[in-house]
Amino acid sequence: PIANSADGLGEKLTSTDGQWHPFGNKTALSKKWRIDIPGAEIGFAVASNYLYLTEAERTITLTIKGISGGALSGVRFRTLLTTEKGWQETVVTVNASNQLIINLSGADPAIVPYSAKVHGGAYQTTFPVLKCLLPNTPGTAYEYEKIKRLGATSLEIKVAVVGKKTMALSGSTGPLDGGKPFHPFGPAPSNKSVFFLGDKEVFQKISNVTLTAIWKESYQNYADFFHEHTPPSTHPYTAFSKLQAGAWVPESTNEFIALAGATTNPSFSVSTTNQIAPDFTPNTFFANGDVAGFAKFELTGDWGHSVYPNALARYSRDGGTIPARLYDPQLLSLSLNYDATSIIPLAGTAAYNSQRGRLFHLQPFGFELIVPGSGATALLPFVVPQYNTGTENLIGNDGGEWYIGVKDLLPPQTLSLLIQVAEGSADPLVEKPENHVKWAYLKNNHWVAFTKDAVADGTKGLLQSGLIRFAVPRDASNENTILTSGLHWIRISVETAVDAVCRIVGVHAQGTRAILSDNNNDPALNALPLPASTISKLQESDSAVKKTEQPYATFGGRPAETGSHFFTRVSERLRHKHRAITQWDYEHIILEEFPNIHKVKCLNHLRFEQVNGQAIYRELAPGHVTLIILSNLRNKNAVNPLRPYTSLGDLENIEAFLKRYTTCFAKLHVKNPIFEPVKAYFDVKFFPGYDETFYQKLLSDEIVRFLSPWAFENGEEIGFGGKIYKSVLINFVEERPYVDYIENFRLIHLTEPPKPDQEVVEPTKLCSILISADQHDITVLPEVSALNAAEDCGCAAPAATRRPKRFTGQLISTTLSQDERK
């Protein structure tokens, strides 16, 4: 979320000039992505009133139906449900039926409606939310690529609850407390006594309900008085009805009362006719104003309670046998089980809008409400949001997106951004594709590409510092959910080759270019860049400009031309006549126009390029001209100082410049040289008293400086061709004052494949330069005893008086010039 920080969350940058990569933040010397930045949270979410589950044992089964474009089985998700105190998290693996099954125990908190204050974000829903995120943790596979093109026809949410006890219970005598034993039809039930049952969680869903009623006793065990006053074939029963449109609609005779046992399990269903609108407020008891959401059990008959007082009166008056004890119709507990199913259709707009459930795509910095398209040709929605689309056939699928949010923009308006890059920090070995960098603006949660004439890119695809001007259209919006609301967002994206852009130093709005106007200044002034913050205000103030800043030093200046340079330039111009035909022409035209270029080598009839990711190198290709460019030998932004590559921006500038002065029949290739490392492998024995760890590293570093002196010393020259002699390198190592002797010396030419031990190393291609490897493989020999040393020497004198024999390898008789040694 904070791209210009060390950890992606705001930690201070420690890199050179505060550099950072816009598409991933790679380490300086590695091709691997850094792991100390936040992992993206990508997935999907559903909002539904069916997820409102307040208590008991609960099971949520989310089934993804009609899958196309991939497989979901075996994919792991982090599932998060909204509770009163935050998100309830569980890790779930999709089963073979494409189901995510979440189990909640009675000890788990209630699943309640989404609240922006509690749960964060700004989801457009008042329903409970289930988020399904792909885990993005180090050491485990990230399965986004596996499922990103996966579509579905519908989502099925099925919930099953066992043992729910909190309900709105009332009867003929008023409200009832289900938390302790109670008489559903009153302590003295009579014919037409009623028992009302309501529950907003259950009745807002189309569901199947089963009650579990545990009675104090079965009435058959205490039916003597009842049988004395009632025909043997009759007994009380209950008539069941549901409240529909404010009226009780009888449904069936439902044996709610205890017959043979002390437990009964009556069941009923909730349908669209008696379903209530989603309501997440606490339950209320039945009242006359209610129109739905309740069931009623009405007692027909009783257990003799209506005649029992008369029987007692007769017994008191006449005597005789005392009436038998009445049955006590008391419930010790009442709970319900229910299951409900909701379908979220994804195959059309009308069907989707006709139901209450909603699908969201969870993106790294926000979310998006998904509404399926309409019509026969409408595509099914993807289950997860789409990133790096269109690059499935490219090697590595290496894409990225960078977002810039702008405050107080009033479209239609021109936005001018100064983007300062660390020039030369792009990977020079990556082939930059045509139209590499894409530009888009955010409109109602959808990215819309800028038209070609709406972007003026002065950075040449993020290869050099410059201004980018956007003509932001009127329909750009700042009320979006996939990124922070209140800002207008610009997206800069690449579908491949993320390393073919420079690292970023800074981004500034309201940028403009100022050009130095000569005012009889010192002729040397142009050659000296003005430091940052030299310019602090306008010469003539303007009320529309609040503040003026110069955040970086000036650039592009050249000193006034000297007389000697004038004669050189004119002489060269008279020879090549501003036309690039011969090798000499190409080289001198480039060196004159680009003073920062150190050396140019022109190779005619040589083809050196990449086509569709494949390298092509041919040294006999008529019509092709390859120019090998060497720029600053100590580029501070280079990934590896031993490989002084010219930046991709300079290469593109050179090629564009030359095309104006060469024939259209010549195919130009402006390239960096091929650097071929040479690595030494040997064993070494240091003199006593020298720290092995320190001098092992020092020796490796000295060999690197010996083989590539131009990377460390001013004035040292780098050249094409040349040779490296094994005997010369051996002699250099032995002359180190801390080296006693060396053994098993090998000199390896690190080409593809590597060449084994070489006596003389030469470049393999015309455009190659021999360089030192980053480090050399040096093994320090252990100490030897005096006796072993004497035996090695083959002498009778005590070993302490002689040094062990020295091995210097095979010597080759040759004469080396100083230039060849370099």
Side-chain angles (χ1 to χ4, degrees):
I2 304 177
N4 56 336
S5 65
D7 61 352
L9 296 173
E11 183 180 341
K12 185 178 180 181
L13 287 163
T14 58
S15 55
T16 305
D17 297 333
Q19 302 172 15
W20 48 277
H21 200 287
F23 301 124
N25 198 12
K26 288 188 176 180
T27 53
L29 298 176
S30 173
K31 294 296 182 184
K32 295 183 178 179
W33 294 105
R34 290 178 58 166
I35 61 173
D36 57 348
I37 57 177
E41 290 193 334
I42 292 179
F44 65 95
V46 291
S48 174
N49 61 312
Y50 279 67
L51 295 172
Y52 181 51
L53 304 167
T54 57
E55 62 173 301
E57 295 182 4
R58 294 148 286 171
T59 300
I60 303 171
T61 303
L62 177 64
T63 306
I64 303 174
K65 294 190 170 185
I67 287 179
S68 61
L72 193 60
S73 177
V75 176
R76 296 170 65 248
F77 282 96
R78 289 175 52 228
T79 61
L80 299 97
L81 289 159
T82 47
T83 70
E84 290 183 352
K85 296 184 178 180
W87 295 95
Q88 171 84 0
E89 180 174 345
T90 310
V91 177
V92 178
T93 300
V94 181
N95 63 23
S97 300
N98 296 320
Q99 295 176 327
L100 289 89
I101 301 177
I102 306 169
N103 294 307
L104 301 172
S105 70
D108 289 319
I111 309 305
V112 300
Y114 163 79
S115 167
K117 182 178 180 180
V118 175
H119 305 107
Y123 292 94
Q124 303 103 318
T125 184
T126 57
F127 292 168
V129 174
L130 166 62
K131 296 201 300 187
C132 300
L133 295 167
L134 289 170
N136 194 356
T137 53
T140 60
Y142 192 51
E143 298 181 292
Y144 172 69
E145 291 294 330
K146 178 180 177 181
I147 68 169
K148 79 172 187 179
R149 304 296 291 176
L150 187 145
T153 58
S154 63
L155 302 176
E156 180 187 84
I157 302 173
K158 183 176 182 179
V159 297
V161 177
V162 177
K164 187 179 189 312
K165 293 184 177 181
T166 303
M167 294 168 275
L169 308 177
S170 60
S172 300
T173 59
L176 299 172
D177 185 1
K180 54 188 177 183
F182 65 94
H183 294 87
F185 300 105
S190 60
N191 188 42
K192 302 301 180 180
S193 293
V194 293
F195 171 55
F196 301 103
L197 181 149
D199 189 271
K200 292 181 179 179
E201 174 185 330
V202 175
F203 278 88
Q204 66 178 277
K205 307 169 187 178
I206 298 176
S207 55
N208 298 308
V209 184
T210 299
L211 297 175
T212 300
I214 300 178
W215 297 87
K216 179 180 178 182
E217 54 192 7
S218 175
Y219 84 85
Q220 280 91 342
N221 297 335
Y222 300 96
D224 294 341
F225 182 84
F226 171 71
H227 288 302
E228 289 176 0
H229 298 83
T230 310
S233 61
T234 64
H235 60 80
Y237 63 90
T238 54
F240 177 75
S241 57
K242 291 182 289 190
L243 188 60
Q244 176 180 331
W248 292 104
V249 179
E251 187 164 290
S252 65
T253 299
N254 196 307
E255 293 296 351
F256 177 65
I257 59 179
L259 295 175
T263 302
T264 55
N265 302 103
S267 61
F268 61 91
S269 62
V270 178
S271 62
T272 55
T273 58
N274 62 309
Q275 182 185 18
I276 63 172
D279 187 348
F280 309 108
T281 60
N283 283 327
T284 56
F285 301 108
F286 171 70
N288 285 333
D290 292 319
V291 296
F294 287 90
K296 180 177 71 172
F297 294 91
E298 185 174 338
L299 184 63
T300 299
D302 61 21
W303 293 272
H305 293 77
S306 58
V307 297
Y308 193 72
N310 293 332
L312 284 178
R314 286 194 299 271
Y315 169 75
S316 301
R317 183 189 61 198
D318 303 331
T321 304
I322 186 172
R325 183 176 70 86
L326 276 174
Y327 167 62
D328 183 13
Q330 186 181 56
L331 279 173
L332 299 180
S333 68
L334 178 65
S335 62
L336 64 80
N337 306 338
Y338 78 91
D339 61 81
T341 302
S342 175
I343 302 292
I344 302 177
L346 303 177
T349 307
Y352 179 83
N353 289 335
S354 66
Q355 51 83 49
R356 296 189 173 105
R358 289 293 179 261
L359 169 66
F360 298 90
H361 277 172
L362 302 180
Q363 306 205 26
F365 307 110
F367 64 91
E368 180 184 5
L369 175 64
I370 301 301
V371 178
S374 59
T377 60
L379 297 176
L380 293 177
F382 295 112
V383 175
V384 293
Q386 301 299 289
Y387 286 91
N388 297 354
T389 55
T391 61
E392 285 76 10
N393 296 324
L394 297 176
I395 297 175
N397 198 13
D398 191 15
E401 298 181 355
W402 173 30
Y403 310 109
I404 300 176
V406 183
K407 188 178 180 182
D408 298 330
L409 192 68
L410 300 174
Q413 186 176 356
T414 298
L415 171 65
S416 180
L417 294 180
L418 165 61
I419 298 186
Q420 187 78 9
V421 305
E423 297 190 17
S425 58
D427 189 340
L429 299 182
V430 175
E431 190 75 9
K432 191 174 179 66
E434 293 186 9
N435 301 318
H436 181 216
V437 180
K438 307 285 193 305
W439 319 91
Y441 64 93
L442 194 56
K443 170 189 174 182
N444 299 328
N445 277 338
H446 294 284
W447 293 106
V448 180
F450 280 102
T451 59
K452 186 176 181 180
D453 59 353
V455 179
D457 180 15
T459 69
K460 295 193 173 181
L462 302 181
L463 288 181
Q464 64 185 29
S465 300
L467 298 174
I468 303 180
R469 287 188 169 91
F470 301 94
V472 183
R474 187 183 303 276
D475 59 356
S477 61
N478 63 352
E479 295 298 329
N480 303 283
T481 59
I482 65 173
L483 288 164
T484 304
S485 182
L487 301 175
H488 285 88
W489 287 95
I490 305 294
R491 184 185 71 182
I492 304 174
S493 64
V494 294
E495 290 188 347
T496 186
V498 295
D499 285 334
V501 301
C502 291
R503 294 192 288 272
I504 306 299
V505 175
V507 180
H508 308 271
Q510 312 291 7
T512 189
R513 170 177 286 197
I515 300 175
L516 177 64
S517 179
D518 185 32
N519 190 24
N520 295 322
N521 301 317
D522 187 327
L525 177 63
N526 289 348
L528 300 174
L530 294 179
S533 302
T534 301
I535 301 172
S536 60
K537 62 181 180 179
L538 298 179
Q539 182 175 0
E540 296 180 5
S541 60
D542 187 336
S543 60
V545 178
K546 181 178 180 181
K547 187 178 182 182
T548 302
E549 293 179 298
Q550 179 206 344
Y552 308 103
T554 58
F555 60 93
R558 297 178 67 170
E561 189 175 40
T562 63
S564 60
H565 183 266
F566 171 76
F567 287 114
T568 300
R569 177 174 60 84
V570 171
S571 300
E572 291 177 352
R573 175 66 176 267
L574 290 174
R575 176 171 176 176
H576 59 64
K577 298 179 179 62
H578 229 183
R579 296 175 296 177
I581 298 176
T582 68
Q583 292 172 303
W584 189 95
D585 296 341
Y586 280 102
E587 293 172 352
H588 286 76
I589 287 175
I590 293 174
L591 291 174
E592 172 59 33
E593 181 65 23
F594 299 92
N596 61 312
I597 298 301
H598 175 69
K599 182 177 287 190
V600 180
K601 183 175 183 179
C602 181
L603 300 168
N604 58 342
H605 305 310
L606 187 143
R607 184 183 182 187
F608 182 20
E609 64 176 330
Q610 285 189 343
V611 178
N612 296 327
Q614 299 296 321
I616 298 177
Y617 182 86
R618 290 172 54 198
E619 293 186 355
L620 186 59
H624 292 264
V625 178
T626 295
L627 294 145
I628 305 300
I629 309 297
L630 275 173
S631 188
N632 186 353
L633 296 182
R634 288 175 300 282
N635 176 13
K636 65 180 181 178
N637 294 322
V639 175
N640 190 335
L642 294 176
R643 293 165 172 79
Y645 292 112
T646 302
S647 71
L648 291 177
D650 286 343
L651 295 181
E652 287 195 353
N653 291 336
I654 292 171
E655 182 173 357
F657 174 77
L658 278 180
K659 284 182 177 179
R660 292 182 286 175
Y661 304 109
T662 188
T663 173
C664 60
F665 299 105
K667 176 64 175 175
L668 285 178
H669 309 289
V670 183
K671 297 293 179 182
N672 277 295
I674 297 175
F675 293 101
E676 297 183 358
V678 177
K679 188 170 186 176
Y681 294 77
F682 60 93
D683 302 332
V684 65
K685 178 68 175 66
F686 296 133
F687 284 115
Y690 288 91
D691 182 85
E692 294 181 355
T693 302
F694 174 80
Y695 283 95
Q696 180 184 30
K697 183 179 185 305
L698 177 62
L699 180 57
S700 178
D701 292 343
E702 288 199 273
I703 295 174
V704 171
R705 286 177 173 267
F706 177 72
L707 295 177
S708 301
W710 39 263
F712 304 94
E713 302 294 337
N714 288 324
E716 294 288 348
E717 189 61 42
I718 184 173
F720 295 88
K723 301 176 183 178
I724 295 178
Y725 290 87
K726 177 179 177 180
S727 58
V728 174
L729 186 56
I730 290 175
N731 184 67
F732 171 80
V733 174
E734 287 198 317
E735 288 180 347
R736 301 305 92 199
Y738 48 85
V739 173
D740 189 355
Y741 63 89
I742 59 175
E743 295 180 350
N744 305 322
F745 196 98
R746 293 180 298 144
L747 192 62
I748 306 300
H749 190 182
L750 298 180
T751 57
E752 292 293 339
K755 293 185 178 181
D757 190 16
Q758 303 284 298
E759 299 298 329
V760 181
V761 179
E762 299 183 70
T764 62
K765 295 180 175 66
L766 292 176
C767 57
S768 297
I769 296 176
L770 295 177
I771 63 170
S772 172
D774 296 336
Q775 59 184 11
H776 298 271
D777 195 320
I778 302 173
T779 302
V780 180
L781 295 173
E783 295 287 345
V784 296
S785 65
L787 178 60
N788 290 338
E791 292 175 351
D792 289 343
C793 294
C795 54
T801 64
R802 295 177 179 269
R803 289 177 57 188
K805 64 182 180 181
R806 300 181 65 168
F807 173 73
T808 59
Q810 180 182 1
L811 294 177
I812 299 176
S813 177
T814 185
T815 301
L816 290 177
S817 69
Q818 186 68 9
D819 290 339
E820 285 177 321
R821 187 188 70 79
K822 291 180 182 178

